[in-house]
């Protein structure tokens, strides 16, 4: 064993022991100070959270006076819990126990975390393109293209730059095809995820590589490729020192998506003409009807052997998003798994809304991976949000994964995808902390490697 690996194993072992000591300390402190009242404290806290979740559901599904009362209750429930702790003179105890549990979680994650750096596939070295064409949306991301001088830098590297007109991403596909007709051997897009998806679809159709320049607001696709979203000009390094990756694409009703397609509440709300000017007001006005099935279609979702009837929200993603890691929500660990991710939420009562506090174990929450997802409706058309673009498609809508459909050109040196935070597996932690001569194999390699 290498010396560095031995020191790393010792650090992991002591982190695992600290996790157990901190967790046990929280339990001992609670029992020693509060005795059986400690169980009451836990029950009061759980009841307060459940009441707040139920009240939030009423606030979202009711209007007028009922909504006002529900909002007050949603704020009053946790406040009442704190007041009860103060009255019992045990608030300090609750805070101390929470601190010990937080320390246990942090130490446990540190022990289970892989020693390797945040991962990004290395890619295949490729020569520079002969005729690269970059489609650029100058308005995207609040004008990122201008702030980072993307046009000047791309042209200095020999790329042809085509600016998108006032229609934004609407004419991106046509302009990409025109660039191919002029002899382009690489297509790029500098803009948001909607623009990226349209140009990526043309690149995949013609088998040419695709360059992602994250000049939009969020750029989740660039994040999962390990690109630098803070300085989009760094992606242009792929024109001279690039490597190539093969990644999947999703397709919904014939339309390509690089991130996700959403159905239900979100798609119905963003489709409203008033949403752009008054997001909060439109949301509160339309959600009651959408969540209680009085407005919009009633959906059904089928993926493999799983069928969900009447979900209010459905998200189909190009490879699954992380689950069980709230710090990593909205991220995908890989883009070449050849599957779609499905997240479906069905809540029909305040009790079911409170039950969502169980997270992935809640019966109203379905998360899975599948090659195909079919979303049906009780109406001939259904609204869909495709990488942030609002569309209306004929029902049923078929979503499929296209494995390895897209060649992506990325810089050789890039930040990488942040490593996933591991699930707290106390059995593994026990083996690491106390089993003599045992450690954890590195993630991604066989046991004992390194």
């Amino acid at each position: 064993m290498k010396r560095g690996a031995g020191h790393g194993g010792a650090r992991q072992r002591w982190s695992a022991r600290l996790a157990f000591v901190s967790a046990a300390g929280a339990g001992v402190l609670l029992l020693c100070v509060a005795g059986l009242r400690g169980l009451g404290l836990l029950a009061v806290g759980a009841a307060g959270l459940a009441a707040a979740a139920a009240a939030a559901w009423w606030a979202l599904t009711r209007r007028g006076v009922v909504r006002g009362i529900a909002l007050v209750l949603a704020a009053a429930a946790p406040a009442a819990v704190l007041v009860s702790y103060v009255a019992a003179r045990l608030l300090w105890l609750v805070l101390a126990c929470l601190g010990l549990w937080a320390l246990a979680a942090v130490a446990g994650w540190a022990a289970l975390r892989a020693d390797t750096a945040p991962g990004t596939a290395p890619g295949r070295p490729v020569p520079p393109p002969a005729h690269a064409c970059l489609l650029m949306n100058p308005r995207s991301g609040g004008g990122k293209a201008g702030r980072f001088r993307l046009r000047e830098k791309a042209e200095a590297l020999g790329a042809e730059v085509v600016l998108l007109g006032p229609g934004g991403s609407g004419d991106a596909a046509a302009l990409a095809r025109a660039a191919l007709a002029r002899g382009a051997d690489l297509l790029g897009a500098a803009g948001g995820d909607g623009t990226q998806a349209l140009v990526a679809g043309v690149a995949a159709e013609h088998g040419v590589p695709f360059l992602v320049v994250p000049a939009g607001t969020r750029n989740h696709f660039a994040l999962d490729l390990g690109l630098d979203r803070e300085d989009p000009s760094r992606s242009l390094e792929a024109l001279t020192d690039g490597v190539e990756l093969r990644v999947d694409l999703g397709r919904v009703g014939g339309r390509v998506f690089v991130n996700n397609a959403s159905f239900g509440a979100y798609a119905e709300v963003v489709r409203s003409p008033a949403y752009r000017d008054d997001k909060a007001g439109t949301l509160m006005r339309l959600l009651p009807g959408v969540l209680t099935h009085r407005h919009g279609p009633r959906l059904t979702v089928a993926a493999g052997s799983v069928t969900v009837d009447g979900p209010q929200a459905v998200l189909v993603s190009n490879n699954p998003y992380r689950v069980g890691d709230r710090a990593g929500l909205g991220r995908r660990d890989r883009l070449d798994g050849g599957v779609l991710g499905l997240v479906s939420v069905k809540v029909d009562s305040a009790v079911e809304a409170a039950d969502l506090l169980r997270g992935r174990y809640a019966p109203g929450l379905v998360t899975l991976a599948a090659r195909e997802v079919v979303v049906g409706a009780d109406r001939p058309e259904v609204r869909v949000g495709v990488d942030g673009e609002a569309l209306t498609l004929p029902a049923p809508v078929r979503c499929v994964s296209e494995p390895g459909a897209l060649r992506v050109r990325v810089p050789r040196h890039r930040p990488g995808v942040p490593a996933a935070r591991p699930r707290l597996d106390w059995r593994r932690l026990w083996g690491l902390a106390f089993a003599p001569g045992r450690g954890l194999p590195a993630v991604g390699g066989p046991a004992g490697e390194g």
Side-chain angles (χ1 to χ4, degrees):
M1 179 183 289
K2 297 179 182 180
R3 183 175 182 181
H7 287 314
R11 286 194 298 269
Q12 285 184 307
R13 186 161 53 252
W14 282 107
S15 291
R17 291 174 179 174
L18 177 60
F20 273 99
V21 170
S22 300
V28 170
L29 180 62
L30 186 65
L31 290 175
C32 289
V33 175
L36 293 179
R37 286 196 302 166
L39 299 178
L41 292 175
L42 296 178
V44 168
L49 287 176
W57 168 257
W58 289 325
L60 292 174
T61 56
R62 301 291 189 272
R63 293 186 173 93
V65 176
V66 176
R67 171 177 284 173
I69 295 173
L71 289 172
V72 172
L73 179 58
V81 171
L82 290 176
V83 169
S84 68
Y85 290 162
V86 172
R89 298 182 180 180
L90 292 175
L91 179 60
W92 70 270
L93 174 63
V94 174
L95 295 177
C97 290
L98 288 176
L100 286 171
W101 269 108
L103 177 59
V106 171
W109 288 321
L112 295 171
R113 188 171 54 237
D115 290 332
T116 55
T120 300
R124 177 176 63 88
V126 288
H131 179 186
C133 180
L134 180 63
L135 280 74
M136 189 174 298
N137 187 344
R139 292 162 299 281
S140 186
K144 276 187 177 180
R147 291 201 305 274
F148 288 92
R149 301 180 62 248
L150 295 181
R151 180 177 185 176
E152 294 85 347
K153 293 177 180 179
E155 290 177 339
L157 294 172
E160 174 191 1
V161 176
V162 176
L163 298 180
L164 298 180
S169 62
D171 54 356
L175 291 173
R177 291 190 175 91
L180 292 175
R182 294 193 300 273
D185 60 351
L186 179 145
L187 291 175
D193 287 317
T195 302
Q196 304 286 352
L198 289 171
V199 181
V202 176
E205 177 185 346
H206 293 271
V208 300
F210 176 61
L211 173 67
V212 177
V213 181
T217 303
R218 297 180 182 86
N219 290 112
H220 290 295
F221 189 46
L223 171 69
D224 296 328
L225 286 169
L227 300 177
D228 188 345
R229 297 188 302 169
E230 300 301 320
D231 183 0
S233 66
R234 288 194 56 189
S235 293
L236 298 175
E237 296 172 9
L239 295 173
T240 55
D241 186 21
V243 295
E244 192 170 289
L245 310 172
R246 278 276 185 180
V247 302
D248 308 334
L249 288 176
R251 193 172 290 272
V252 52
R255 168 74 177 261
V256 164
F257 62 92
V258 294
N259 290 326
N260 58 64
S262 60
F263 303 79
Y266 175 75
E268 292 292 329
V269 170
V270 298
R271 187 69 176 179
S272 170
Y275 179 75
R276 184 177 298 274
D277 297 325
D278 183 15
K279 291 182 172 59
T282 305
L283 189 72
M284 297 305 290
R285 186 175 66 257
L286 295 181
L287 273 183
V290 173
L291 295 180
T292 56
H293 303 292
R294 295 193 302 270
H295 176 74
R298 184 180 180 89
L299 303 176
T300 59
V301 182
S305 60
V306 176
T307 301
V308 183
D309 180 41
Q312 285 96 341
V314 177
L315 185 75
V316 180
S317 58
N318 176 26
N319 285 273
Y321 288 109
R322 291 178 184 173
V323 294
D325 176 13
R326 290 178 175 82
L329 289 178
R331 293 176 180 169
R332 293 162 288 183
D333 290 314
R334 58 185 302 178
L335 292 170
D336 59 354
V339 293
L340 301 172
L342 170 65
V343 179
S344 170
V345 179
K346 180 180 180 180
V347 181
D348 289 327
S349 68
V351 173
E352 292 179 0
D355 206 29
L356 285 179
L357 293 173
R358 295 170 57 188
R360 58 180 177 171
Y361 300 107
L365 178 65
V366 173
T367 60
L368 54 83
R371 288 290 300 272
E372 178 180 286
V373 176
V374 179
V375 180
D378 61 355
R379 298 185 184 182
E381 292 183 328
V382 61
R383 291 171 176 172
V384 190
V386 182
D387 284 338
E389 302 287 333
L391 303 177
T392 300
L393 299 176
V397 181
R398 181 170 174 259
C399 307
V400 296
S401 173
E402 297 185 350
L406 183 64
R407 298 164 56 192
V408 180
R409 190 73 56 88
V410 296
R412 186 187 307 270
H413 304 291
R414 55 201 189 280
V417 180
R421 188 174 64 183
R423 182 175 64 89
L424 278 178
D425 187 333
W426 292 98
R427 182 175 297 180
R428 288 188 68 204
L429 280 172
W430 180 270
L432 177 61
F434 303 112
R438 294 185 62 186
L440 290 176
V443 173
E449 182 176 334

